[in-house]
Structures are given as structure tokens and as C-alpha cells.
Amino acid sequence: MTRSVMRFVPYTIAQDQTAWPEYVARCVSGDEKECGAESGSKSDPADVEKWMTNHTRGTGHLRYRRTFADYAVFEPPEGAEGGRVIPGEVVEHARAIEVSHPLAIEPRKATA
């Protein structure tokens, strides 16, 4: 079995600010079958609420399923620039715990 020694780096998961989040609503009103009308993907929740208001006004439907989606990125802590996330299987250290997939940073190669 191959073992690796990796240095733990506490990455943070954050919303990707370079991509717009997406908001969608679908009408689920109906006794036996849902209406199924959808707002389509919008970048502003106010646009979805406006669509819901107009749909309710025209149909009397009152129940919707709203969906939110965004993109996420792992952000390394300060001072860890140039590293990348690499998967690991076992971390060997006197006080380390075996972890199936730790986040680690690949050590930089020395430059002359």
C-alpha cells in the first residue's frame, strides 16, 4: 500500500462571484396533477416573484416550488497561493487521523 504525507490546508467554500446565481419557480398547485408552469431561470429573485404574482393573478394558483442554484469555489487561505487541491488517502502524522479524502495543498517546488 502506498502512503502519502500531506499538509492539511483549511480551504473555505464560497459562492463564486464570477457567476450569477439562478432562481426558478414552478407552480405545483393542483389537486391530482400539478400545473407545472415555470418561471424559467432568472438571475434576480424579484423577477421570479413577479412571475409568481402574475401567474397567481391569472390562474388563482397559490403553491410554488422555488429553486436556487449557484456555483461554489474552494478558496485557499492567505499564503497558500500557487497550491492546488489534491486528493489524499491516508495522512501519516503522530497526531493525524486517517481520512478518506483530506484537502491538502501540494508543496511548491523550490525555484533557483
Side-chain angles (χ1 to χ4, degrees), residues 78-95:
E78 285 188 40
E81 293 82 24
R84 62 184 179 92
V85 177
I86 55 175
E89 293 178 11
V90 177
V91 175
E92 292 185 70
H93 189 274
R95 288 177 262 150

Side-chain angles (χ1 to χ4, degrees), residues 39-95:
S39 65
S41 182
K42 310 290 184 192
S43 60
D44 187 343
D47 293 337
V48 172
E49 291 171 5
K50 184 176 179 180
W51 177 85
M52 291 168 57
T53 301
N54 290 333
H55 185 72
T56 296
R57 188 177 295 135
T59 63
H61 294 167
L62 302 173
R63 191 161 186 258
Y64 297 86
R65 182 175 193 276
R66 296 185 299 178
T67 305
F68 167 78
D70 69 345
Y71 293 88
V73 292
F74 275 83
E75 294 179 342
E78 285 188 40
E81 293 82 24
R84 62 184 179 92
V85 177
I86 55 175
E89 293 178 11
V90 177
V91 175
E92 292 185 70
H93 189 274
R95 288 177 262 150

Side-chain angles (χ1 to χ4, degrees), residues 30-46:
D31 293 329
E32 294 182 25
K33 187 176 177 186
E34 295 178 356
C35 168
E38 286 196 12
S39 65
S41 182
K42 310 290 184 192
S43 60
D44 187 343

